Amino acid sequence: MDSEQRRKRKRVYRPYSRAQYLSGRSVILCLCFLVFLLFLSSDRLPIRPVSFKPVLSVSSLSLLSSNSIQDSFRLTFKSFTLKIEERVLFPDHLLLMVSNKVDQTESLDCVYYKLLNDSATRIEEAADVRMQPVFSVDEYDEFRWIARCPLPPVNYSAVVDLRLRRDAPAENYLSLMNNNRTETVHFWDKMAYAAVLDGKTAVVFVKGLNLRPHRESDHTLFRCQFGLGHWEKDEGFAFVTEAVAAAQEVVRCLLPRSISKNPNKAKGIRVAVVNVNDKALDERKPVTSVAGIRNSRYHIQGKNQRLSRDYVSMPSVARIHNSKSHKKRKGGGKFELCVCTMLWNQASSIREWIMYHAWLGVERWFIYDNNSDDGIQKVIEELNLENYNVSRHNWPWIKTQEAGFSHCALTARNECKWVGFFDVDEFFYFPRDHRLGLLGENSLRSLVANFSSSKTVAEIRTSCHSFGPSGLSSHPAQGVTVGYTCRLQSPERHKSIVRPDLLNGSLLNVVHHFRLKAGYRYLNMPENIAVINHYKYQVWETFRAKFFRRVATYVVDWQENQNTGSKDRAPGLGTEAIEPPNWRLQFCEVWDTGLRDFVLSTFADPATESLPWERHLRA
């Protein structure tokens, strides 16, 4: 009977057990499938053939509704999310290029590893790891974000990693280090740092060529190398093409044939500049559109050995990427007048500059931000909410103003008929029209529009008057246009508005003006018609910040004992940031209240007499 009861139990419970087993397995399979879908749905996973670096993370638009599952998944794979692609060492910070999106709301630490006996080998132990908070995090291009770290402590490696501050404890830093296998550190003054497609050519921006300023160079001395992977380590492949123009920090090269036929193939490709050695020049070997292809499998063959020996590329962090969608004016067509500038920590000044020139007719703004840390992104977002068409371009490369303006000319060409290049302390003014009461809205735009169809004029130059502190000891509450009213008598230099499609192919410029295509010329505006008020020598606290920071490539910093008589310096200032006696009374030869009177009569609120940018200056 016992055996019969056991058989009954088997018949009764066996189907239930099998169903229970199948049900449990189904649940597990379903969960695995949902996690897989979650993985695929992540916006941090760039599934592109050129990336080769899949990243595990969780999308904010997950198929799962449970935040707890998302958090668990994110925590599990978080140590793999910060991929350091490149490191660039600057004089005052270390730039890390991260190959995936970084959440700016997260707190990040820079992770430093101690060197072993002053060698290049890092000690891989948690006890020899230090951390410091990042200075800032910004989007750079469609492939990379950048983080700025403090310089490494003494006896610590510049091969620095990143980690989320709420990550695992120090014992798990080794997983970070092993995840970021790239250990190359580039020096800011010797490398290719940016690249732009321009028709059948690529324009590469590179430091360290030491070309003579303000003139074109022999382009036959250079080649460009295109490729994926790390060709310096014989990984991946590379195409070498001829340079067709070279000047200062800009080299223009032909595209490889496969890319020129299909520019979309260029997305993600790294570009470097090659100095051709003396032997290659002596042999005068012709280089076709694609001079050679190097693959690590065949690198030992004679032809590619010779190619590697003759063409040694400079370090490069430059990758070709798709520019953001072009903005068009209402009704279509190009904007008549745009402005490009490069700045550093000018958040407090940019509202007055943009609002004033927008009234004169500027429609589009390109702000090349050179490592600001004063909240300028927030100011730009506020201006855009007020319908000012402003875009911020993160430009971390120091001492590159001329190259940055060349880059901006290419960026703006598809959107703008005219582009002005001037600084945020420079303001256009029309003395005659103001005196006759003729000055109205869009005056500057109307001026350049008169020459938009010209067959000869491609640049308009306007002289600059340099203003001094005008007796002030603190920044003027109503802005520079109202506060500073005393200037030097004679103008200093000029600034230009150009037609970007009519620039010389070398993109050569000296900040104040560009070289034009053959057959085109510039037009000098008479001073009684148009001038620029340059508020160059402001109150000492403002000017002192400028003392340490010069963005022009070929202008030495004021603290360096070179070219002390240059107009780029403050006369008599010397090389130390010490306020000279009677600074507030210097640079005052002519009292000029013309622009002040115009601004107060045009922009001041009739009831409160306040200016539209004044509230933000006092905040």
Side-chain angles (χ1 to χ4, degrees), residues 15 83 98 213 226 229 232 265 280 287 311 354 415 438 450 454 460 494 526 529 537 540 578:
K83 291 276 192 175
V98 186
F226 301 79
E232 304 94 334
K265 291 183 178 180
V287 180
Y311 305 121
I354 286 180
E415 300 184 42
L438 301 175
N450 291 331
S454 173
I460 297 174
H494 60 266
I529 295 179
Y537 309 113
W540 178 252
I578 300 174

Side-chain angles (χ1 to χ4, degrees), residues 269-557:
I269 287 181
R270 193 153 55 104
V271 188
V273 171
V274 177
N275 274 298
V276 183
N277 67 21
D278 295 337
K279 179 179 178 181
L281 288 176
D282 292 340
E283 294 179 2
R284 297 292 177 182
K285 301 171 185 175
V287 180
T288 59
S289 177
V290 179
I293 303 174
R294 192 177 76 199
N295 186 289
S296 57
R297 277 182 70 188
Y298 303 106
H299 183 58
I300 60 173
Q301 296 181 3
K303 179 178 179 180
N304 287 322
Q305 278 188 331
R306 184 170 64 253
L307 178 66
S308 177
R309 182 175 64 249
D310 292 345
Y311 305 121
V312 179
S313 66
M314 297 182 67
S316 175
V317 299
R319 291 175 64 180
I320 297 174
H321 65 94
N322 291 343
S323 60
K324 295 181 180 179
S325 59
H326 301 306
K327 298 183 179 180
K328 298 293 183 181
R329 65 187 305 178
K330 293 180 180 179
K334 293 183 178 182
F335 297 107
E336 193 72 44
L337 178 59
C338 306
V339 165
C340 178
T341 195
M342 186 177 294
L343 54 74
W344 172 70
N345 282 358
Q346 294 287 341
S348 61
S349 305
I350 196 171
R351 288 190 64 91
E352 178 183 10
W353 184 70
I354 286 180
M355 297 176 80
Y356 172 82
H357 285 100
W359 192 89
L360 290 182
V362 176
E363 303 169 282
R364 176 86 167 90
W365 308 84
F366 299 88
I367 308 299
Y368 277 56
D369 183 3
N370 199 216
N371 299 315
S372 296
D373 56 7
D374 61 345
I376 191 171
Q377 178 63 29
K378 181 180 178 182
V379 176
I380 290 175
E381 290 172 357
E382 292 173 350
L383 285 166
N384 283 326
L385 289 175
E386 300 171 33
N387 295 320
Y388 295 96
N389 192 355
V390 188
S391 61
R392 172 176 172 258
H393 300 258
N394 203 317
W395 188 259
W397 318 113
I398 64 175
K399 303 296 287 184
T400 58
Q401 188 174 23
E402 293 86 346
F405 281 0
S406 296
H407 189 280
C408 188
L410 292 175
T411 302
R413 187 178 58 190
N414 292 327
E415 300 184 42
C416 311
K417 295 180 182 179
W418 292 87
V419 181
F421 293 87
F422 50 98
D423 299 330
V424 296
D425 58 357
E426 296 170 338
F427 290 74
F428 273 82
Y429 173 53
F430 298 88
R432 185 191 64 179
D433 288 351
H434 174 67
R435 189 167 55 251
L436 298 176
L438 301 175
L439 188 64
E441 285 190 77
N442 303 321
S443 300
L444 185 57
R445 186 166 75 214
S446 298
L447 172 66
V448 301
N450 291 331
F451 300 95
S452 292
S453 301
S454 173
K455 302 298 183 182
T456 57
V457 176
E459 179 179 8
I460 297 174
R461 297 182 178 181
T462 307
S463 299
C464 301
H465 284 295
S466 296
F467 281 69
S470 306
L472 301 180
S473 299
S474 59
H475 189 79
Q478 293 184 295
V480 298
T481 54
V482 174
Y484 298 116
T485 54
C486 199
R487 61 172 173 82
L488 298 176
Q489 182 171 5
S490 300
E492 291 184 329
R493 296 182 170 167
H494 60 266
K495 291 299 172 74
S496 296
I497 303 176
V498 304
R499 295 167 65 180
D501 56 333
L502 297 179
L503 301 181
N504 182 275
S506 67
L507 299 175
L508 179 64
N509 71 84
V510 292
V511 176
H512 311 290
H513 57 265
F514 280 79
R515 180 167 294 183
L516 306 175
K517 285 184 177 180
Y520 289 90
R521 63 181 181 87
Y522 61 84
L523 174 69
N524 283 321
M525 293 301 299
E527 286 186 43
N528 66 323
I529 295 179
V531 295
I532 291 177
N533 281 10
H534 183 189
Y535 299 104
K536 181 176 180 179
Y537 309 113
Q538 300 187 30
V539 296
W540 178 252
E541 288 302 315
T542 302
F543 185 84
R544 183 173 62 178
K546 186 179 180 181
F547 181 90
F548 289 104
R549 185 78 181 203
R550 307 308 306 278
V551 296
T553 309
Y554 302 101
V555 175
V556 297
D557 292 340

Side-chain angles (χ1 to χ4, degrees), residues 545-598:
K546 186 179 180 181
F547 181 90
F548 289 104
R549 185 78 181 203
R550 307 308 306 278
V551 296
T553 309
Y554 302 101
V555 175
V556 297
D557 292 340
W558 278 323
Q559 62 265 35
E560 295 182 15
N561 190 21
Q562 301 178 35
N563 300 332
T564 54
S566 170
K567 290 184 179 180
D568 291 299
R569 293 177 176 272
L573 181 62
T575 59
E576 296 182 7
I578 300 174
E579 182 176 0
N582 298 320
W583 172 264
R584 65 188 185 89
L585 301 177
Q586 292 191 27
F587 317 108
C588 182
E589 297 175 350
V590 177
W591 287 97
D592 183 348
T593 62
L595 183 55
R596 181 199 67 180
D597 297 340
F598 168 70

Side-chain angles (χ1 to χ4, degrees), residues 4-165:
E4 183 177 353
Q5 288 179 348
R6 281 197 295 270
R7 283 195 300 270
K8 288 183 179 180
R9 287 195 190 102
K10 287 183 181 180
R11 284 195 299 270
V12 171
Y13 289 109
R14 184 178 295 135
Y16 176 77
S17 300
R18 183 178 300 151
Q20 188 180 42
Y21 168 76
L22 291 175
S23 176
R25 187 172 63 176
S26 299
V27 170
I28 294 173
L29 289 174
C30 288
L31 286 176
C32 292
F33 180 70
L34 287 175
V35 171
F36 177 70
L37 290 179
L38 176 65
F39 170 71
L40 291 180
S41 68
S42 172
D43 61 349
R44 297 184 183 180
L45 178 62
I47 307 178
R48 305 185 183 104
V50 299
S51 178
F52 299 119
K53 293 183 179 179
V55 180
L56 300 176
S57 63
V58 179
S59 169
S60 59
L61 300 176
S62 173
L63 295 177
L64 300 180
S65 59
S66 172
N67 290 331
S68 62
I69 296 178
Q70 286 187 3
D71 292 340
S72 176
F73 186 82
R74 186 181 292 111
L75 288 171
T76 302
F77 295 96
K78 188 182 295 181
S79 61
F80 295 93
T81 60
L82 299 177
K83 291 276 192 175
I84 310 302
E85 186 173 291
E86 308 282 359
R87 300 173 179 85
V88 182
L89 188 63
F90 287 90
D92 57 354
H93 70 280
L94 183 68
L95 180 74
L96 306 184
M97 308 191 84
V98 186
S99 62
N100 57 293
K101 183 176 180 180
V102 179
D103 188 348
Q104 291 178 291
T105 64
E106 293 277 9
S107 297
L108 294 177
D109 284 327
C110 306
V111 182
Y112 303 84
Y113 304 92
K114 194 169 186 179
L115 292 170
L116 178 61
N117 297 327
D118 297 326
S119 69
T121 304
R122 302 190 300 183
I123 299 178
E124 301 180 2
E125 296 180 6
D128 295 300
V129 170
R130 287 191 184 180
M131 294 176 299
Q132 294 190 52
V134 298
F135 286 147
S136 62
V137 174
D138 277 302
E139 184 178 6
Y140 181 62
D141 57 32
E142 63 180 317
F143 299 110
R144 296 168 293 185
W145 283 58
I146 58 176
R148 298 180 182 89
C149 289
L151 292 176
V154 177
N155 296 328
Y156 277 74
S157 172
V159 183
V160 174
D161 292 324
L162 288 175
R163 73 148 200 161
L164 294 169
R165 191 168 298 167

